[in-house]
Amino acid sequence: GEDVEQSLFLSVREGDSSVINCTYTDSSSTYLYWYKQEPGAGLQLLTYIFSNMDMKQDQRLTVLLNKKDKHLSLRIADTQTGDSAIYFCAESSNDYKLSFGAGTTVTVRA
Amino acid sequence: DTGVSQDPRHKITKRGQNVTFRCDPISEHNRLYWYRQTLGQGPEFLTYFQNEAQLEKSRLLSDRFSAERPKGSFSTLEIQRTEQGDSAMYLCASSLDGGGSPLHFGNGTRLTVT
């Protein structure tokens, strides 16, 4: 939606780190999520963070939240070919209606 | 836990026909959601249920659309008199009650209206 913005494309070399950025406009956003979508499939939940947190790490994934700037990022360490997909940022100020960005297509090159 | 299941995966229909999609949520999840995704866009909220009660509907959900969850388990989404603009991926998701419990999505039903 127009309330959540992401860059459309990211190309990264295999083994490098990927950083996907997202900005949102709703200052009352409480819940922020990252989803992954592979071709023809639904959305796979990767990780999520609450607005009272600055950072969350889960294996190769690190989420950073700058609430002042309304900026969310997802870092994928040691990017693999299986990480090629579309990544969606989503925010919610309640706990049922998510607003999604248009998605960032990540391409991992050998 | 087999995840959220949607049926059919693909549906091709002629304009003016009615279609119905089914969603089976994760068994212990009380909440069920319908979202719609068009090409190159993120999903957009359509409606959601808390058990069998439909609590909110988006303005995207015109009078031709109706969703039900009669026993608080599976849900159906019906589109009457389909139009070409209805062509999209219809995604179902489920979650535990509130508190930011994350939504778990199914693989969707891709609808093509010719």
Side-chain angles (χ1 to χ4, degrees):
Chain A
E2 65 271 17
D3 300 326
V4 180
E5 291 193 356
Q6 305 176 235
S7 53
L8 291 181
F9 301 100
L10 176 67
S11 177
V12 61
R13 193 190 308 269
E14 188 176 10
D16 287 351
S17 292
S18 310
V19 179
I20 308 168
N21 294 301
C22 170
T23 57
Y24 57 96
T25 57
D26 189 348
S27 57
S28 62
S29 293
T30 305
Y31 313 104
L32 299 119
Y33 307 86
W34 284 103
Y35 285 88
K36 174 184 180 183
Q37 187 173 39
E38 297 186 54
L43 275 69
Q44 174 194 349
L45 175 69
L46 291 177
T47 187
Y48 59 101
I49 191 170
F50 295 159
S51 60
N52 59 357
M53 301 166 66
D54 298 324
M55 185 184 91
K56 182 177 180 181
Q57 188 158 359
D58 183 2
Q59 299 183 345
R60 292 191 298 124
L61 304 179
T62 302
V63 179
L64 294 178
L65 173 61
N66 182 327
K67 198 174 175 187
K68 173 177 168 289
D69 293 339
K70 301 190 190 68
H71 182 267
L72 184 73
S73 68
L74 175 69
R75 177 176 179 269
I76 305 172
D78 186 25
T79 311
Q80 303 298 307
T81 54
D83 295 324
S84 292
I86 303 175
Y87 290 79
F88 290 95
C89 167
E91 63 84 20
S92 180
S93 56
N94 48 50
D95 58 6
Y96 60 89
K97 188 187 296 183
L98 272 60
S99 292
F100 284 84
T104 299
T105 299
V106 173
T107 303
V108 182
R109 60 187 193 278
Chain B
D1 176 6
T2 57
V4 177
S5 176
Q6 292 189 245
D7 184 69
R9 289 295 311 277
H10 304 274
K11 179 71 177 178
I12 300 173
T13 191
K14 292 187 188 305
R15 190 175 52 195
Q17 297 295 303
N18 299 343
V19 294
T20 300
F21 311 140
R22 176 180 170 123
C23 171
D24 288 90
I26 294 171
S27 57
E28 64 266 28
H29 285 180
N30 293 334
R31 289 192 175 184
L32 185 147
Y33 312 77
W34 286 99
Y35 280 74
R36 181 172 70 186
Q37 184 180 23
T38 52
L39 203 60
Q41 300 298 318
E44 295 176 292
F45 172 82
L46 292 179
T47 188
Y48 92 105
F49 294 84
Q50 173 86 24
N51 298 313
E52 66 274 12
Q54 188 173 17
L55 296 187
E56 183 159 333
K57 294 193 288 187
S58 162
R59 58 179 173 77
L60 294 175
L61 216 64
S62 76
D63 291 345
R64 297 183 297 105
F65 288 70
S66 63
E68 294 182 349
R69 195 183 183 198
K71 297 181 181 177
S73 56
F74 73 92
S75 175
T76 57
L77 178 68
E78 181 184 17
I79 310 174
Q80 296 182 327
R81 304 181 304 281
T82 51
E83 301 173 355
Q84 286 187 320
D86 297 332
S87 295
M89 173 84 90
Y90 289 85
L91 292 162
C92 177
S94 69
S95 76
L96 295 169
D97 288 346
S101 295
L103 277 62
H104 296 265
F105 284 84
N107 281 328
T109 294
R110 180 164 295 285
L111 173 67
T112 303
V113 182
T114 61

